[in-house]
Amino acid sequence: QVQLVESGGGLVQPGGSLRLSCAASGFTSGYNGIAWFRQAPGKKRQGVSCIGIGEPMNYYADSVKGRFTISRDNAKNTVYLQMNSLKPEDTAVYYCATAEGCGTMWYIISNYDYWGQGTPVTVSS
């Protein structure tokens, strides 16, 4: 059974940093891409970043480029999202999800088969 578990969310002041973790288990072959999405209150879920095994690049939403960094530790089956220079508009529940890969359409929600339960991030003074 595929399971994704997010952790690391919390309350942080503007300009601060957080590192989210997504621990994956129960995978069979074929799920090489793991992405982070976020959903703010009253808004649609949107893609934040995606990392895929063997892909030439990682993908980021324009709103987080230069501030967020995605990485993975294959030995631990864990994907991380390092979030720096956080802004109030980054406040949301953050979810990780998995697909066959990322690709240029990585932000399409229907591409992802498995989702975690989410971890809340609040950026406020």
Side-chain angles (χ1 to χ4, degrees):
Q1 180 179 355
V2 175
Q3 188 173 20
L4 299 171
V5 180
E6 303 96 334
S7 61
L11 173 64
V12 63
Q13 292 186 343
S17 298
L18 281 175
R19 189 179 79 157
L20 305 183
S21 299
C22 172
S25 62
F27 280 93
T28 59
S29 62
Y31 288 100
N32 296 320
I34 293 185
W36 286 96
F37 286 76
R38 66 186 182 186
Q39 188 166 16
K43 295 189 176 181
K44 294 181 179 180
R45 192 170 298 189
Q46 60 176 194
V48 175
S49 183
C50 190
I51 186 168
I53 294 175
E55 297 197 30
M57 61 182 289
N58 300 328
Y59 299 88
Y60 296 93
D62 287 343
S63 58
V64 306
K65 281 181 181 176
R67 300 188 297 122
F68 290 11
T69 303
I70 194 169
S71 62
R72 67 192 298 162
D73 184 335
N74 290 328
K76 295 182 178 180
N77 291 327
T78 299
V79 170
Y80 303 98
L81 185 69
Q82 178 66 45
M83 306 188 295
N84 298 329
S85 301
L86 283 161
K87 304 175 181 180
E89 51 263 44
D90 294 317
T91 296
V93 178
Y94 284 70
Y95 301 88
C96 62
T98 186
E100 292 182 0
C102 295
T104 57
M105 305 296 281
W106 64 272
Y107 51 87
I108 303 298
I109 292 174
S110 59
N111 289 344
Y112 295 84
D113 295 321
Y114 297 98
W115 293 79
Q117 82 290 347
T119 185
V121 172
T122 302
V123 185
S124 175
S125 56

